[in-house]
Amino acid sequence: MGPEDLAKILKNLPSQQREEILVGLETPDDAAVYQLDEHTALVHTVDFFTPIVDDPYTFGQIAATNALSDIYAMGGRPLTAMNILCYPCKLGTEVAVEILKGGNDKVKEAGAMVVGGHTVEDEEPKFGLAVTGIVDPGLILIAGGARPGDVLLLTKPLGTGVMATALKAEFIGEDEMAETIRGMTTLNRVASELALELKASACTDVTGFGLLGHLLNMVSHHLTCILRVSDIPFYPGVREMASQGMLPAGARNNRLYYEKNVIYPDDLDALTIDLLWDPQTSGGLLIALPPESEERALKFLKAKNPCGGYLIGYFTERRSAPIEISI
Ligand code: CO
Ligand code: CO
């Protein structure tokens, strides 16, 4: 669902305040946090979607990696997961088995366990998981904690929406998006460990609202984030596919809803602007850190994170807009 429709729905829900709910509906974070005692809080999240690749095992892996991501974005450790599978039974049971195996393997890699699930017969397959994790209430990472002077790191390249659109339109085969698939099946675990170890001031993951949409959740009213567009990484083939018109509808929705908050340089090309709004599946983490941690963070990510680490901007006191883009 686009950001505008979602905002309309959420604003009509009654607000629920309770002391134990450390992160709930009022904040832009995608996971909820419920405090059990002084040292333990539960982290809850759910995510599912239609296939974005043809191979069912790979789809299962991507869906699980994506569902686990919101636990990592909060600094949590996943414990248990429940499958959500909507499925046309005419596809036969083997395909469903492959999807669930892919999901199960990623949950296992995360050190968690699939402990149940629910199926619904449906015209189009959909798969994902509800994941429960734990976090130390004193160490929760939230989207809105960045401070002036912090640097901004991104832990995966962008462009999964463009590549999935190109695959669907049969402009490319799955082998031509191997790097993108590798990225979408890479857990955000290492990135989350880094954010915890270096005491990140803010963290979120990049998913459906694109880089700029999710970044806006990190930019509180007294801050501006300056992005250096030449430092923003894209998966191989993304620019070429976008130039051939393979931009998903979600990118347009994101741009329409959020663009008033962004200032572009005059000479920024239209293609790059589009790409900054591309909705991501299983995207990386955006991490805000004090500048003195920058070098250590990049070294850590380059050594341990399969998708690397990228310094893409920094935060300052508020200028004329929440996000300003420089070349
Ligand atoms: Co998220
Ligand atoms: Co989500």
Side-chain angles (χ1 to χ4, degrees):
M1 193 176 278
E4 188 166 7
D5 289 333
L6 182 61
K8 270 187 202 154
I9 292 170
L10 290 180
K11 108 173 176 264
N12 282 299
L13 292 185
S15 102
Q16 288 176 312
Q17 314 259 357
R18 239 174 102 170
E19 217 180 296
E20 296 91 340
I21 301 174
L22 304 181
V23 178
L25 274 177
E26 282 70 29
T27 71
D29 298 279
D30 297 329
V33 182
Y34 185 96
Q35 183 160 11
L36 290 178
D37 61 38
E38 209 186 322
H39 302 291
T40 320
L42 291 173
V43 192
H44 298 286
T45 186
V46 59
D47 222 321
F48 65 110
F49 45 74
T50 54
I52 63 161
V53 292
D54 300 325
D55 180 64
Y57 179 82
T58 308
F59 169 52
Q61 285 186 306
I62 294 171
T65 307
N66 179 75
L68 289 157
S69 177
D70 280 322
I71 303 282
Y72 289 128
M74 307 299 291
R77 182 163 65 85
L79 286 182
T80 57
M82 309 281 274
N83 289 321
I84 297 158
L85 179 68
C86 307
Y87 195 72
C89 290
K90 60 175 191 285
L91 280 184
T93 52
E94 288 112 81
V95 174
V97 170
E98 284 304 302
I99 295 173
L100 294 176
K101 266 190 183 163
N104 194 64
D105 284 354
K106 275 294 153 186
V107 171
K108 225 166 113 186
E109 185 188 324
M113 262 173 83
V114 175
V115 291
H118 186 73
T119 57
V120 175
E121 179 140 18
D122 198 351
E123 292 285 304
E124 193 180 13
K126 294 168 195 80
F127 175 63
L129 305 101
V131 187
T132 302
I134 49 168
V135 67
D136 180 330
L139 299 175
I140 298 170
L141 299 170
I142 55 161
R147 288 176 293 236
D150 280 355
V151 294
L152 179 67
L153 304 186
L154 175 64
T155 67
K156 287 183 189 181
L158 303 170
T160 70
V162 167
M163 295 306 271
T165 304
L167 179 72
K168 211 170 233 168
E170 295 177 2
F171 267 59
I172 54 168
E174 234 162 70
D175 47 331
E176 284 156 281
M177 60 182 286
E179 268 301 295
T180 311
I181 288 174
R182 198 171 77 98
M184 290 190 290
T185 54
T186 295
L187 295 175
N188 278 329
R189 179 174 55 191
V190 170
S192 177
E193 278 168 15
L194 167 94
L196 285 172
E197 194 174 311
L198 296 189
K199 303 205 167 32
S201 39
C203 182
T204 193
D205 62 342
V206 184
T207 51
F209 302 147
L211 171 69
L212 299 181
H214 288 280
L215 177 57
L216 274 169
N217 289 333
M218 297 180 90
V219 188
S220 51
H221 63 276
H222 65 282
L223 286 179
T224 286
C225 186
I226 314 280
L227 281 182
R228 278 184 301 264
V229 80
S230 48
D231 292 336
I232 296 174
F234 294 98
Y235 288 112
V238 169
R239 282 194 163 271
E240 196 202 326
M241 284 304 116
S243 71
Q244 296 194 42
M246 297 294 114
L247 199 75
R252 217 148 293 133
N253 293 337
N254 290 340
R255 187 171 170 181
L256 278 174
Y257 186 68
Y258 291 118
E259 195 172 40
K260 57 182 180 292
N261 302 295
V262 180
I263 295 177
Y264 310 110
D266 291 337
D267 45 351
L268 187 60
D269 62 291
L271 186 77
T272 304
I273 295 179
D274 283 341
L275 287 178
L276 298 177
W277 296 107
D278 184 44
Q280 301 302 288
T281 297
S282 193
L285 298 187
L286 280 169
I287 302 172
L289 282 172
E292 56 272 20
S293 304
E294 171 193 324
E295 203 178 314
R296 233 183 108 199
L298 288 172
K299 223 167 126 188
F300 183 103
L301 288 172
K302 261 165 208 150
K304 295 192 178 162
N305 185 28
C307 299
Y310 313 85
L311 176 73
I312 62 167
Y314 61 96
F315 295 87
T316 68
E317 301 284 353
R318 174 55 65 87
R319 300 187 188 178
S320 38
I323 297 177
E324 288 185 22
I325 294 171
S326 69
I327 297 274

